[in-house]
């Protein structure tokens, strides 16, 4: 029973580690896009695309704060039909 508990704990730690690596990879990719892109709309779209791909979600969007009004507007969307 003790060995089974240890095996389950090791499996859970491995799963968490794998998830953290995926998130880190997504953040690194987003950083690369920030550096490489001068096109704001294209950059925001790529960030949404990366989020849906890596996180396995159906929908992602980025919000952009409008400096004059302080309101947020949708900058890009991925996964919406």
């Amino acid at each position: 029973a003790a060995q089974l508990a240890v095996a389950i704990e090791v499996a859970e730690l491995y799963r968490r580690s794998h998830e953290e690596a995926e998130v880190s990879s997504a953040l690194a990719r987003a950083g690369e896009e920030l550096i490489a892109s001068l096109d704001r709309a294209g950059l925001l779209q790529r960030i949404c695309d990366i989020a849906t791909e890596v996180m396995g979600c159906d929908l992602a969007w980025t919000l952009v704060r409008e400096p004059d009004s302080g309101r947020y507007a949708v900058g890009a969307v991925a996964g919406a039909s």
Side-chain angles (χ1 to χ4, degrees):
Q3 287 179 340
L4 178 59
V6 169
I8 291 171
E9 185 176 345
V10 168
E12 178 63 19
L13 289 172
Y14 176 79
R15 184 190 63 77
R16 286 184 192 165
S17 175
H18 184 70
E19 287 177 358
E20 290 174 5
E22 285 182 343
V23 170
S24 293
S25 175
L27 291 172
R29 288 175 59 194
E32 289 171 2
E33 292 292 334
L34 283 168
I35 292 168
S37 179
L38 296 177
D39 172 30
R40 178 177 163 173
L43 169 64
L44 296 176
Q45 187 61 53
R46 285 295 300 138
I47 290 172
C48 284
D49 293 341
I50 290 168
T52 56
E53 176 188 328
V54 173
M55 303 306 278
C57 53
D58 296 326
L59 178 66
W61 64 89
T62 55
L63 299 177
V64 178
R65 185 173 183 273
E66 301 294 339
D68 295 336
S69 67
R71 294 183 180 181
Y72 289 89
V74 175
V77 177
S81 304

